[in-house]
Amino acid sequence: MRYGQHSAHVRFGDRLEVPRSAERHRTWLKEAAARKAEDDTFHLVVEDRATGAWAGTVSTHHVELGQGNFAYGIEIDPRFQGRGFAREAVTLVLRFMFEERRYHKAVAEAWAHNTASVALQRRLGFVEEARLREHDYTEGAYRDVLLFGLLKDEFRGMDAGNKD
């Protein structure tokens, strides 16, 4: 599978993304980058610094400035999975949103059967807050969706031990 042609294992909250070509994805990102942001919603490229290749994307959504909450999503190309790209990208987003933008809570979703995504949330310090039983239909079956949350102070405690 090529980047941008999402497998059923990629979780995007409540939005459905249809497969698109790499060129169409680049065009969409350029257009999105040129728009004036109304809030702290963004979509960034994750790049392999060694080669300059696109390794994936990380984004924020469901940003509630008044409540101090935001959600994030991450997609890493299968060729780059298992190499720390997701953890580094999400940590940078969390650090920015908590420390620079002063949000209070981050939320994330993962299908219960996506063990890599569930493990990532837990490694980042997210706490499982809810299970939506048989909530999404994918890959020919109804799947549970896990909801995770991370508070700013929880992140600060974890992040202090992770800084270089």
Side-chain angles (χ1 to χ4, degrees):
M1 174 187 341
R2 295 191 46 89
Y3 175 72
Q5 295 176 328
H6 313 305
S7 75
H9 293 291
V10 176
R11 179 88 189 116
F12 285 105
D14 65 352
R15 70 180 201 261
L16 174 65
E17 297 258 343
V18 295
R20 52 178 97 159
S21 68
E23 185 55 39
R24 185 167 174 211
H25 197 77
R26 284 184 186 91
T27 301
W28 178 84
L29 283 172
K30 286 178 185 174
E31 290 170 357
R35 287 191 294 265
K36 182 177 186 265
E38 298 298 322
D39 56 26
D40 289 318
T41 300
F42 54 81
H43 196 98
L44 304 172
V45 171
V46 177
E47 182 180 271
D48 179 357
R49 286 178 271 195
T51 65
W54 285 24
T57 61
V58 63
S59 61
T60 59
H61 55 92
H62 292 95
V63 176
E64 298 177 6
L65 185 59
Q67 296 298 319
N69 303 324
F70 69 96
Y72 88 89
I74 182 84
E75 177 189 6
I76 300 297
D77 185 302
R79 296 172 296 168
F80 295 92
Q81 291 175 359
R83 295 171 41 191
F85 286 97
R87 183 177 181 140
E88 181 180 359
V90 173
T91 298
L92 291 171
V93 166
L94 293 172
R95 193 176 295 145
F96 174 75
M97 294 296 278
F98 285 144
E99 301 303 329
E100 300 296 324
R101 303 301 298 151
R102 300 204 163 113
Y103 284 88
H104 175 70
K105 183 177 182 182
V107 296
E109 297 181 5
W111 282 316
H113 72 285
N114 185 341
T115 56
S117 183
V118 171
L120 172 66
Q121 304 317 316
R122 291 187 174 136
R123 277 194 313 273
L124 290 167
F126 280 79
V127 174
E128 185 178 326
E129 296 183 344
R131 175 183 288 260
L132 304 177
R133 299 176 307 125
E134 297 186 5
H135 188 70
D136 287 351
Y137 186 81
T138 185
E139 299 175 325
Y142 285 97
R143 305 293 184 158
D144 290 1
V145 174
L146 302 180
L147 304 179
F148 292 91
L150 179 68
L151 303 177
K152 179 192 287 192
D153 289 341
E154 295 168 336
F155 175 74
R156 281 181 175 157
M158 290 194 61
D159 193 42
N162 291 330
K163 289 186 179 177
D164 296 330

